[in-house]
Amino acid sequence: MKDILENFAQGKISLEDALSSIKLLSCRAVGEIAKLDTHRADRIGIPEAILAEGKNKEDLVKIALAHLEETGSVIVTRISDEQFVAFEKIDLPEGTICDKNSIARTLVLRIGSKKSSMGKVGILAAGTADIPVSEEAKIVAEEMGCEVISEYDVGVAGIHRLFPSLEKISDVDAIVVAAGREGTLPAIVAGLVDVPVIGLPVSTGYGVGGSGLAALHSMLQSCSVLAVVNIDAGFVAGAYAAKIAIKRSYQQKQF
Amino acid sequence: MKDILENFAQGKISLEDALSSIKLLSCRAVGEIAKLDTHRADRIGIPEAILAEGKNKEDLVKIALAHLEETGSVIVTRISDEQFVAFEKIDLPEGTICDKNSIARTLVLRIGSKKSSMGKVGILAAGTADIPVSEEAKIVAEEMGCEVISEYDVGVAGIHRLFPSLEKISDVDAIVVAAGREGTLPAIVAGLVDVPVIGLPVSTGYGVGGSGLAALHSMLQSCSVLAVVNIDAGFVAGAYAAKIAIKRSYQQKQF
Amino acid sequence: MKDILENFAQGKISLEDALSSIKLLSCRAVGEIAKLDTHRADRIGIPEAILAEGKNKEDLVKIALAHLEETGSVIVTRISDEQFVAFEKIDLPEGTICDKNSIARTLVLRIGSKKSSMGKVGILAAGTADIPVSEEAKIVAEEMGCEVISEYDVGVAGIHRLFPSLEKISDVDAIVVAAGREGTLPAIVAGLVDVPVIGLPVSTGYGVGGSGLAALHSMLQSCSVLAVVNIDAGFVAGAYAAKIAIKRSYQQKQF
Amino acid sequence: MKDILENFAQGKISLEDALSSIKLLSCRAVGEIAKLDTHRADRIGIPEAILAEGKNKEDLVKIALAHLEETGSVIVTRISDEQFVAFEKIDLPEGTICDKNSIARTLVLRIGSKKSSMGKVGILAAGTADIPVSEEAKIVAEEMGCEVISEYDVGVAGIHRLFPSLEKISDVDAIVVAAGREGTLPAIVAGLVDVPVIGLPVSTGYGVGGSGLAALHSMLQSCSVLAVVNIDAGFVAGAYAAKIAIKRSYQQKQF
Amino acid sequence: MKDILENFAQGKISLEDALSSIKLLSCRAVGEIAKLDTHRADRIGIPEAILAEGKNKEDLVKIALAHLEETGSVIVTRISDEQFVAFEKIDLPEGTICDKNSIARTLVLRIGSKKSSMGKVGILAAGTADIPVSEEAKIVAEEMGCEVISEYDVGVAGIHRLFPSLEKISDVDAIVVAAGREGTLPAIVAGLVDVPVIGLPVSTGYGVGGSGLAALHSMLQSCSVLAVVNIDAGFVAGAYAAKIAIKRSYQQKQF
Amino acid sequence: MKDILENFAQGKISLEDALSSIKLLSCRAVGEIAKLDTHRADRIGIPEAILAEGKNKEDLVKIALAHLEETGSVIVTRISDEQFVAFEKIDLPEGTICDKNSIARTLVLRIGSKKSSMGKVGILAAGTADIPVSEEAKIVAEEMGCEVISEYDVGVAGIHRLFPSLEKISDVDAIVVAAGREGTLPAIVAGLVDVPVIGLPVSTGYGVGGSGLAALHSMLQSCSVLAVVNIDAGFVAGAYAAKIAIKRSYQQKQF
Amino acid sequence: MKDILENFAQGKISLEDALSSIKLLSCRAVGEIAKLDTHRADRIGIPEAILAEGKNKEDLVKIALAHLEETGSVIVTRISDEQFVAFEKIDLPEGTICDKNSIARTLVLRIGSKKSSMGKVGILAAGTADIPVSEEAKIVAEEMGCEVISEYDVGVAGIHRLFPSLEKISDVDAIVVAAGREGTLPAIVAGLVDVPVIGLPVSTGYGVGGSGLAALHSMLQSCSVLAVVNIDAGFVAGAYAAKIAIKRSYQQKQF
Amino acid sequence: MKDILENFAQGKISLEDALSSIKLLSCRAVGEIAKLDTHRADRIGIPEAILAEGKNKEDLVKIALAHLEETGSVIVTRISDEQFVAFEKIDLPEGTICDKNSIARTLVLRIGSKKSSMGKVGILAAGTADIPVSEEAKIVAEEMGCEVISEYDVGVAGIHRLFPSLEKISDVDAIVVAAGREGTLPAIVAGLVDVPVIGLPVSTGYGVGGSGLAALHSMLQSCSVLAVVNIDAGFVAGAYAAKIAIKRSYQQKQF
């Protein structure tokens, strides 16, 4: 790069040529960083995910296979029955494991065995309507190599249902709490445990504040120390919890 | 009225005249109903209230005195210090009691003694910021003849603070629960008691869902059986609770 | 608990052990309270309700039967025709009464006879579009043991239609008033009667302020003393009115 | 214009020249129409108005005088005390009448006498807080030559107060009804009279739906036949009512 | 009523009896007024309208026939093809005229001939998407006895298309201007004519401000003197224009 | 026009006649300008476009053919498969080229060959979901005579993917950048290039800020120098970019 | 508790008595749990915080001293200059350290020395306007015992400014990224590092999406794995980051 | 970089070392690109701008001087009188020109003479309230080396005022059109000219759609080909117009 700049300074090459050369050079440099970043990212392990919603079957299969080939695994989220059938009809690469979760509406394709457990994540769902996004969170956290302990239907309506559930997840590194309607459960849990809690608002409830809005706003307004993800963003919640858990587990192993 | 209609049918009076006569007649009729309704309302006792905010001193004093004269009492809400001084400077009718509550920013003017106790109302405030509107609710309920038991700063942050407070208000007929930010307290209380709970959202909190919006939406979305009033509507909450309590007390006395 | 704490203080047990023991103990304690709360709740009688919307047939039937077994009755709300058929196909426990209301889209399952009347609730609907949620309110209030008097299509368009309706419900303990579009009826009724009025906004109306928003906001802004529930929340409105009516009736019987 | 086009077609003048010429020609044509439109507008008489809010004193006075000179009258709306003083300090053209209305916060400057009465407009205000914008509506309607009959504080709280007021304005050509908070009065009036009613929402009320929003939405959702203007748009409401009334009056005189 | 009050004052009848009697009396009184109001309303002629959307076929037919019988005519708005077929299958009262407009999605049922022309209404639509609600406005204005002149597709895109259209409607008494997306046409028309203009926002446009919102807001913000109705409220716009036109025409005939 | 005015001044013709004459004259004048404006517009070349969405097949075909006949080309946007079939069934004018783009959901009808290239436009799409509106932008820019270079799936997730894409479009005159969800790509590109960038928000993303809202708001808040069009407004973005590019190209050719 | 229940079952004590006894018992039980929870919380160390905004000086000082006495430290946030002066005038308990940060508008009162470092937190601010809330986050994380490395003004405008900053915070356990306006920085950072990133939207920016809304929405819509807190919630962001860091550090020390 | 990677592959250096080295290297690379980008940016000439609002005087002066030193010029926007005084009190570098525009509330500091004219920009303002942001746009465009022709107060109220203004700016390369309230002017201008138009919504107007919202939404919904910037974003609008104009002018000079 120094050469280019010197040549440019001495007028040996035109500005346009200098720019082109440098741009090319730096794109390559950026490319190298990016590749290594990919390697690092690979260690922490957020898998490639594809939102199936709104994609036609052919494109979806094509993109999924490309990711599978490149990284060894891929998660398809919000997959429809019809889209799933399209995957059944094709020949997957040899050794590909194909896990469908019809509640979470996810499909995991993976070549080789799952990652070994690298941390523990807890997932709580306030009501039955909060289970699908909770399962989506679970799938991604597991795929990232975490052990996941989930407890569903522990909503505040009967706060006594909460305590035994908290007991069961007492040694996790991070907890995702999914809740719709008024969405109070995450704040209550965050007030009771000493691991980071991720609030996952769910698009339930009708009328004003429905579709998860009241839940999201409650979590953002909460006096508890709580971080949130977007409404129904089960993938992000699960991956964030795993990110906390894995790093922690990784450090424990290092020392 | 029959006469008018017959005369009109027989063409003795014009349509315009018939209409005028009937309108006059019915306005009088409506007037009579209204007067009696006023009498009934008087028994149940929602006092006249004036929102001081945005009124100039002179008008405020004039309107308040008119109400005082007509009904024997008046509550001025959201009164400023400057407006209060204006009341101190005038000669109130003899025997007028003048109660100022600087937290609730209310001024009560009353000729004669307070009404005797006709029911019990409980008022809970989640945090210190919720006290002013809670006090406004208290003033109006008391003025309507209710005994009011209030417990402040019982917020969910420490749910153990809630139980002793609930204990103290265990025999009330209705409970107002004021809460800002995420506004979860009313729903929790409504799940624990068997008297009607009125959710009173308070305009605290910054950012998204601030100014009481998240609180209002949470209460509306709550799975508990809960009714709500508008943000900061302490007057309405207090009067509504008293309406429940008084009727109940009145029935108890009847039988 | 004292023992645990003393042992912990004297170092006989580790912190972790002490915490586990105490947590277990207190969960049990909380459990006991909860059970009694359930008993008390049972006396006041808000029945278990399941929102059918968004649940698959199999899950819906399973949850409903579980509730039926546990508490002796259950209300399924917003049930579709297809979901209803699923209930017809199964063998309900002997003696189960199965009441479908196709306007309210509710299904009540009950073992044994209805509760005897414990209070009176009035339900007014402004227009024909407000009838379904009004019926939902009616079903729950009746299931809680109230006598319900309903008057539909009494909207303000012809205010003269209102008076005879008010006459008919003159001795109720609480009134639910359902109204969509501009939603003015609840405030008008609240200005004319001395029992608590519950405003129930209905999701009618198109354009700005449609889907019940203008109705909800009008009720919240009303100068009358009025409490509201969320848009289309017929269940909550009916249960709240019954809560007022039953307590009152219960007190009357006590003395 | 034909010449220009022909010359252009024959290549005698360039495209640029043709365009310039035609543009010039048509701007003149448009100018002539505009002037005549101004004349017609003058007959119907919507006076020039200046929103004082946000303008500095010097500019405000300068603009007002320019309008006064050009059209013989001008209305300054939302004028502050400080801005008014600025008008007192200058020498107005001889014969200028200068009317200040401190409630409406308007200042009218007029050379010569007011227009003779050309129609009747009724203005109703629901509460005392609705008076300022009602007065603004009144000023503009009067300035357009209408006789205005106003009745204030006739709100629905006591519906019996409405009937005598309607009686007094029984022969107007159009009615402006100003209302804040839940804003129901315009719809009720529109259901009772046979002249067009203009709903004027007022920015009162706190909490959700406050600042006139619930009022505006209620009016838009109303089942009555009602047209509305923006929140606090007293000027538009008054001018619109006068537009109806004057045309009508004008027709009556013609025939 | 005087008797009742006197008897009550002398203790001959109980308060409860007095209230019942007076209430009965006044309901009757109100009933009488209401009837006459109906008569007056009948002269100005806003016909009964039924929103078909969301009603089942059987109820719709039943309600429509009831209105037809009572008032001699009825307009069904937003009728679906399937609902229309339901009307074809029944036997309408003899002499009933049945007009379907499939663009406006309206069905008019009328016994006897149309009202004779009582005024003139102009209706302008900015684009083709604005035609359905414009037709709805036209139907109601015609049914109220107005002559309607409509000009469609005169949008601002080519402002030169506007002038010939304005020419054609130069002698109307009121103009409805329908416009979606940015909704500027009503304000432009209101600046060019001296009759009242009613802005009718139409639910077209995607993205931010779509579904008629930008149109409604533009009209409310307009510097022109303009009144508006809700988005897609063709019925209200047409009836309001007719209300202006008929009264005017009626006055012209009187003198 | 002068004649008319003089005649009017001398009373030879009535005001009404003068107005009619002048209006006629000026409409013609305006018509002439409009025609020429059309000619000019024709040179810059924004083609006629028809939004197919919500139109029935017959009307759509009719309108499209009318435009085709008048201007030689037309673009139908958001066309459905069913609507497209309707075009296949008719006989198009001889020599009509008929280009369907099923991703962009556009149909171009053109008589004669495409315009020769007059400028260069770059189009970048952040993700696969942004391709349809990008293609819509591309179609219109090409139809206006621009060469279009498009690079898709260059989103920020891997910023290293951006640089080679920018390289490829290094000599364009304007760049459209389509992005959904958080919509950051346009601002980043605008910070890196020296040609005008048009931000095109795309309606992807769920939860709060979904449907393109967060994307639009991000672009409006951006610190970069960036102009935006509405969500999914591919047509406008493409035409705007072409407007910049063509004028530039046109100027280059002139000198 | 068992005794109470048995006595109740055998009818020795009334239901009311049983309930009172059990409630008392369980409140105590809950109290014990709460105390221990407090102890645990104490280890993880989220300090008591008081929002000074909206509190009067006297109350603020009183509450702060109470907390200080009880827990040994307290953070006052959003303190005004005037409120700070009030603290200077009082005698603080001996040994109290009093740290004011006028940029963050915080005041820390602490008895004894700061906690020893238990983890590392990184804080990045996009622009100068984002520094105050970043400092608030820093204060709380430090007070919880974390070492904090902060880098300000590293905004995307010049992405090359970001890399050296990331370098400096390469070994932290969690990163808070504060950004206003379009708020893209957190997502970019989350894509480049393998520790959890907390997005902290800041209330900058005017126009649509201003006051932090576009920033919040962007972060929620981001494709990166990111969790967020409310707008300007510096305290929550700092405490959440510390919660992650401390637990991690604590685990490292354990093993 | 190749060396590093090879060493790493051969295990000569640790992963951590390799990463550090490469990161360092690439930051430098990115730095070089950035510098050159700065140079290119410099040629196109968007000057550094500082938003004065919310900054204290000392910081503002310091930042401004730093920019001035680095780039030779700086624009301070939304400067208050008090902040301006702070600049008057300091010693600016010799030869610094200091231009204050009190309408636009801008301060330009520049060392050396203004750039020579490189293109022409037109700026139109609909009303007087739109002048300040228009002036802000003008300042930045001039500072970037453009000749600016501005025409103010050309609003649609009198469309005939528009044509002479358009005439005057007939040879510009881009036009900024500022408009508040309903914001229709930009769309009208965009329909009449063949250069790109930038819509600049202004925060005027009260009630619904006020503060510039209706204006922004109208512009986004417009059928014309129009791009917009955020409300009151005069700086962005001016810089964007200049970006178009300069590039064009630059090309003209090249060939």
Side-chain angles (χ1 to χ4, degrees), chain G residues 2 18 29 45 64 81 85 126 142 150 200 217 246:
Chain G
K2 201 177 136 202
D81 286 345
V85 169
E142 284 179 348
S150 58
L200 170 51
H217 291 176
I246 291 169

Side-chain angles (χ1 to χ4, degrees), chain A residues 33 37 40-41 43-44 46 163 170 172-173 175 190-198 216-217 220-231 233 235-236 239-241 243-249 251-252 255, chain G residues 33 37 40-41 43-44 46 163 170 172-173 175 190-198 216-217 220-231 233 235-236 239-241 243-249 251-252 255:
Chain A
I33 311 168
D37 275 341
R40 294 191 77 191
R43 272 170 52 220
I44 197 78
I46 297 175
F163 289 92
S170 62
V172 298
D173 301 302
I175 305 177
L192 294 172
V193 302
D194 61 357
V195 290
V197 172
I198 297 118
L216 174 63
H217 292 175
L220 288 172
Q221 285 294 336
S222 165
C223 307
S224 304
V225 168
L226 185 69
V228 305
V229 296
N230 208 345
I231 297 166
F235 183 90
V236 180
Y240 194 82
K243 219 172 171 180
I244 296 175
I246 292 169
K247 189 70 191 289
R248 194 167 282 178
S249 156
Q251 288 179 323
Q252 290 178 7
F255 305 91
Chain G
I33 310 168
D37 276 342
R40 296 190 75 192
R43 274 169 50 218
I44 199 75
I46 298 174
F163 289 92
S170 62
V172 298
D173 300 303
I175 305 175
L192 294 172
V193 302
D194 61 358
V195 289
V197 172
I198 296 120
L216 174 63
H217 291 176
L220 286 173
Q221 285 294 336
S222 165
C223 306
S224 304
V225 168
L226 185 68
V228 306
V229 297
N230 207 347
I231 297 166
F235 183 89
V236 179
Y240 194 83
K243 218 173 172 180
I244 295 176
I246 291 169
K247 188 72 191 286
R248 193 166 282 176
S249 158
Q251 287 180 323
Q252 289 178 8
F255 306 92

Side-chain angles (χ1 to χ4, degrees), chain B residues 162-198:
Chain B
L162 174 60
F163 288 92
S165 294
L166 283 182
E167 197 74 353
K168 285 187 198 154
I169 62 167
S170 63
D171 63 343
V172 299
D173 300 303
I175 305 176
V176 172
V177 187
R181 299 197 61 172
E182 78 268 53
T184 50
L185 192 61
I188 290 175
V189 172
L192 294 172
V193 302
D194 61 357
V195 291
V197 172
I198 296 119

Side-chain angles (χ1 to χ4, degrees), chain H residues 176-198:
Chain H
V176 171
V177 187
R181 301 198 59 173
E182 77 267 52
T184 51
L185 192 62
I188 290 176
V189 172
L192 293 172
V193 303
D194 60 358
V195 290
V197 172
I198 296 119

Side-chain angles (χ1 to χ4, degrees), chain C:
Chain C
M1 183 170 296
K2 205 177 131 201
D3 294 348
I4 303 169
L5 292 173
E6 280 171 355
N7 285 337
F8 171 57
Q10 297 162 15
K12 291 186 187 167
I13 56 169
S14 70
L15 174 69
E16 293 303 318
D17 286 355
L19 278 171
S20 297
S21 304
I22 287 168
K23 224 172 198 168
L24 196 67
L25 190 70
S26 25
C27 286
R28 278 188 203 140
V30 170
E32 299 293 344
I33 310 169
K35 268 185 217 149
L36 276 169
D37 275 342
T38 305
H39 291 166
R40 294 191 77 189
D42 203 37
R43 272 169 51 218
I44 198 77
I46 297 175
E48 286 287 344
I50 309 167
L51 184 67
E53 224 163 50
K55 293 208 170 59
N56 68 48
K57 288 178 297 186
E58 292 72 26
D59 287 0
L60 181 61
V61 168
K62 205 156 47 181
I63 300 172
L65 289 183
H67 280 307
L68 178 63
E69 211 163 306
E70 196 182 340
T71 68
S73 77
V74 67
I75 300 183
V76 184
T77 61
R78 308 203 175 192
I79 192 168
S80 67
D81 287 345
E82 195 194 3
Q83 287 169 324
F84 179 63
V85 168
F87 279 94
E88 289 182 322
K89 287 189 180 149
I90 55 160
D91 287 331
L92 291 168
E94 212 189 309
T96 303
I97 280 125
C98 174
D99 276 347
K100 192 198 171 191
N101 181 321
S102 53
I103 294 167
R105 289 176 52 205
T106 55
L107 174 72
V108 176
L109 299 179
R110 193 189 327 103
I111 297 171
S113 61
K114 232 184 203 172
K115 292 192 187 174
S116 63
S117 177
M118 295 181 72
K120 272 193 188 169
V121 165
I123 298 182
L124 300 180
T128 49
D130 307 321
I131 295 178
V133 291
S134 300
E135 283 287 299
E136 193 179 326
K138 187 184 170 187
I139 299 291
V140 65
E142 283 180 348
E143 207 56 29
M144 285 170 73
C146 289
E147 183 183 342
V148 176
I149 307 172
S150 58
E151 287 282 312
Y152 297 156
D153 211 9
V154 299
V156 272
I159 201 151
H160 58 293
R161 283 191 294 178
L162 173 59
F163 289 93
S165 295
L166 283 181
E167 196 74 355
K168 285 187 197 156
I169 61 167
S170 62
D171 63 342
V172 299
D173 300 302
I175 304 177
V176 171
V177 187
R181 301 197 59 172
E182 78 267 54
T184 50
L185 192 62
I188 290 175
V189 172
L192 294 172
V193 301
D194 61 358
V195 289
V197 172
I198 296 119
L200 170 53
V202 181
S203 64
T204 53
Y206 49 84
V208 166
S211 305
L213 263 181
L216 174 63
H217 292 175
S218 283
M219 296 177 197
L220 288 172
Q221 285 294 337
S222 165
C223 307
S224 303
V225 169
L226 186 68
V228 305
V229 296
N230 208 346
I231 297 167
D232 290 342
F235 183 89
V236 180
Y240 195 82
K243 220 172 171 179
I244 296 176
I246 291 169
K247 190 71 192 288
R248 193 166 284 177
S249 157
Y250 172 69
Q251 288 181 323
Q252 288 178 7
K253 281 174 192 160
Q254 276 188 314
F255 306 91

